[in-house]
Amino acid sequence: MLGIISQDDVAAGKVQIVVPEGFLDLSLDVVLTDLDRSFHLMLRNGVLVYVERDADPATPLQLTLSKSRLIQLAGGDTDSDGIDVRGDIDVLKQILGVLDQGDPDFQIVLP
């Protein structure tokens, strides 16, 4: 599933969440070092949302990386350097496992 997503698709927002048999309830913090910004991401009932806030030590997973490395990661590059991981890496594996290439012809608002 993840192999068909390009980094360009991720950067352009052309990615959809495919919900497995049971809905997931996951969260992680992402610290973008090059932007000096932090985000809390939540995947719940097939919806991925985020809020900008400082990282919380109680969050199951914290990733510290650059924005470009985050785009590479979402595109499937889990092996390159440039990511500091604190916590349960299985959270990331589960989130990446439900990403799929979006439908470029999907119209959110129909005329």
Side-chain angles (χ1 to χ4, degrees), residues 50-109:
Y50 71 91
V51 61
E52 188 165 356
R53 73 166 203 204
D54 289 337
D56 181 349
T59 302
L61 176 64
Q62 178 181 322
L63 302 176
T64 303
L65 65 171
S66 67
K67 179 182 176 182
S68 62
R69 185 63 186 95
L70 177 63
I71 291 170
Q72 293 171 342
L73 177 64
D77 179 2
T78 58
D79 298 324
S80 296
D81 292 334
I83 303 174
D84 181 40
V85 177
R86 181 201 50 78
D88 184 2
I89 195 67
D90 285 336
V91 171
L92 177 62
K93 291 176 183 176
Q94 289 179 69
I95 290 175
L96 291 177
V98 296
L99 296 181
D100 200 1
Q101 185 172 3
D103 180 358
D105 295 325
F106 179 78
Q107 296 182 21
I108 295 175
V109 178

Side-chain angles (χ1 to χ4, degrees), residues 28-30 37-40 42 51-56 59:
L28 71 142
D29 288 331
V30 175
R37 297 174 73 183
S38 299
F39 299 90
H40 180 72
M42 297 158 285
V51 61
E52 188 165 356
R53 73 166 203 204
D54 289 337
D56 181 349
T59 302

